[in-house]
Amino acid sequence: MAETYVMRPSRLDDLQSLIELAELSGPGFTSLPVDVPILRERLQKSDDAFLGRLQRIEYGKYLLMMENAETGEVVGCSAVKAGTGIDQPFFNYRVITLAQASQAAGNLRFDMDALVLTNEYVGFTEVGTLFLKPEHRGGGAGRLAAQSRYLLMAAEPERFGTKVLAELRGVVDNEGRSPFWECLGRHFFRMDFTEADRLSATTDNQFILDLMPKYPIYVDLLPPEAREVIGRCHSDGVGAYKLLQWEGFEFDRTVDIFDGGPLVTVQRRHIRTIQESRRVRFEAGDVDSDPAAKLGLASSDMMPEFRVSLAKSILKDPQTAVVNPDTLALLKLKPGSEGRIWQRSK
């Protein structure tokens, strides 16, 4: 049951579980490369971030693991990167519209889209790395993985940027072939999509600056199969895209330079989960049979022992919420502790 899932900070001993998730995620999932040293480093950086061992908070890379509290199995993950473009460039293509007009040609006028290489999201907080094992999707688990990232920001907002972005995986087939890459990127990089994807995940991205075209690329000059996938996300990411739109994220006319996947942004203060959540004092009680109980999420709302679970709750007053004792156990809290709840609107 999804009710037994809990999101918690990753630990150094999660390496084997993270490797399994990376292998299941498939081609094009850049933030989960099947590379043991990188994944081990990812866990170390997350540990440092949660424990506050960073020289600058913008370097924080927080990895959350979804655990089945009954079995201890890690079944998914999601992450928050406090600041993009700070430790290495974050390149994208911005889709711009160029107006073409000529009086000499009989007042002919039309617009053309072009792709321009940019590095304009410096300091944005990025949410990503949302992946669940297929057999654990549904029943609220996806929402738990997604919304836990925003509750993390609400717990200590000073650790995160005022603007938030998410980059969705573009169209890539089961063999790791990207139509956008084959028609555009391959001509400049002279390598397979998977190799470019690996370099993006394992280097400082200087190779992108060295090899990418420095001038606008007219979209109409690309083959139809490339034009059709610009701004489209992978079929496995449609659910995540809908959740992002529900939170208030909007397509920013910016796409990934490798697979053409969409990039969406929002002001942190406008994120729905953050706006609708509130800090409360928890009381324990039987809420399952109470018609006033609402489904939602509950979090411990603190670092480094940040935890989130699905929960039913009743607002006793604006500062007090009643939840099941099992919910408090999942959050490792006692009655009287403070935390945060988000209740789903009916």
Side-chain angles (χ1 to χ4, degrees):
M1 293 292 291
E3 288 77 5
T4 63
Y5 295 152
V6 62
M7 299 297 294
R8 58 158 177 84
S10 62
R11 303 187 300 254
L12 299 182
D13 62 2
D14 284 323
L15 180 60
Q16 194 56 48
S17 296
L18 193 58
I19 293 171
E20 182 182 1
L21 293 175
E23 290 172 343
L24 289 171
S25 66
F29 209 103
T30 309
S31 58
L32 278 180
V34 185
D35 188 302
V36 174
I38 290 176
L39 295 177
R40 182 181 288 112
E41 182 183 21
R42 186 85 186 271
L43 292 173
Q44 183 63 62
K45 287 182 176 179
S46 178
D47 201 49
D48 290 341
F50 276 106
L51 293 173
R53 295 194 294 240
L54 304 172
Q55 291 183 339
R56 294 175 60 183
I57 58 174
E58 305 99 298
Y59 291 149
K61 296 180 180 180
Y62 304 84
L63 180 60
L64 293 164
M65 310 299 282
M66 180 181 285
E67 181 180 299
N68 184 320
E70 293 182 349
T71 65
E73 179 190 7
V74 172
V75 301
C77 62
S78 62
V80 180
K81 183 177 181 180
T84 60
I86 294 174
D87 52 351
Q88 63 185 47
F90 181 61
F91 293 113
N92 295 277
Y93 276 136
R94 175 162 290 284
V95 184
I96 64 170
T97 300
L98 302 172
Q100 309 282 108
S102 173
Q103 290 184 345
N107 291 323
L108 185 65
R109 184 193 181 282
F110 54 89
D111 296 337
M112 296 189 70
D113 284 344
L115 305 175
V116 178
L117 188 67
T118 67
N119 179 28
E120 59 187 282
Y121 293 105
V122 176
F124 277 57
T125 286
E126 181 180 7
V127 295
T129 322
L130 196 161
F131 182 78
L132 303 179
K133 292 181 179 179
E135 64 270 26
H136 294 277
R137 296 169 188 171
R143 277 190 169 273
L144 173 60
Q147 290 180 260
S148 62
R149 300 172 299 184
Y150 313 124
L151 293 177
L152 178 67
M153 295 181 207
E156 292 199 26
E158 65 277 3
R159 294 194 184 204
F160 305 99
T162 59
K163 298 177 181 179
V164 184
L165 67 87
E167 191 175 29
L168 290 116
R169 177 167 42 161
V171 177
V172 181
D173 65 23
N174 293 332
E175 284 70 47
R177 182 182 180 276
S178 161
F180 186 77
W181 175 262
E182 294 299 323
C183 298
L184 179 56
R186 178 181 285 280
H187 295 293
F188 298 96
F189 288 82
R190 307 295 171 90
M191 63 181 73
D192 290 338
F193 171 78
T194 51
E195 175 63 11
D197 202 40
R198 185 192 67 80
L199 285 174
S200 176
T202 59
T203 70
D204 62 2
N205 285 338
Q206 178 63 39
F207 80 105
I208 297 175
L209 191 60
D210 293 338
L211 300 176
M212 284 301 289
K214 307 301 188 293
Y215 302 100
I217 297 169
Y218 284 87
V219 172
D220 282 356
L221 297 181
L222 297 175
E225 58 267 33
R227 297 200 303 267
E228 290 170 1
V229 299
I230 294 174
R232 279 179 51 195
C233 71
H234 192 281
S235 58
D236 288 348
V238 172
Y241 198 175
K242 290 180 179 179
L243 287 176
L244 288 165
Q245 291 173 318
W246 182 88
E247 291 286 354
F249 286 80
E250 295 181 345
F251 179 49
D252 203 28
R253 296 204 83 196
T254 309
V255 301
D256 181 76
I257 62 172
F258 295 150
D259 60 25
L263 189 145
V264 293
T265 62
V266 68
Q267 292 276 346
R268 189 186 69 207
R269 68 178 184 273
H270 294 159
I271 293 174
R272 186 170 179 176
T273 296
I274 294 177
Q275 286 187 328
E276 295 180 355
S277 68
R278 65 173 70 196
R279 189 167 174 83
V280 295
R281 183 176 61 84
F282 287 123
E283 290 185 1
D286 181 10
V287 300
D288 287 331
S289 57
D290 195 318
K294 291 184 178 181
L295 292 171
L297 303 172
S299 85
S300 60
D301 201 45
M302 62 181 177
M303 305 272 196
E305 294 299 324
F306 179 78
R307 296 171 73 87
V308 187
S309 72
L310 295 169
K312 283 186 176 181
S313 62
I314 300 170
L315 272 177
K316 186 175 179 180
D317 58 57
Q319 288 81 40
T320 308
V322 182
V323 296
N324 283 322
D326 288 348
T327 297
L328 291 179
L330 285 173
L331 301 180
K332 295 188 175 180
L333 296 177
K334 296 180 179 180
S337 300
E338 292 189 346
R340 183 176 296 271
I341 62 166
W342 170 81
Q343 294 181 323
R344 184 180 299 177
S345 301
K346 291 186 177 180

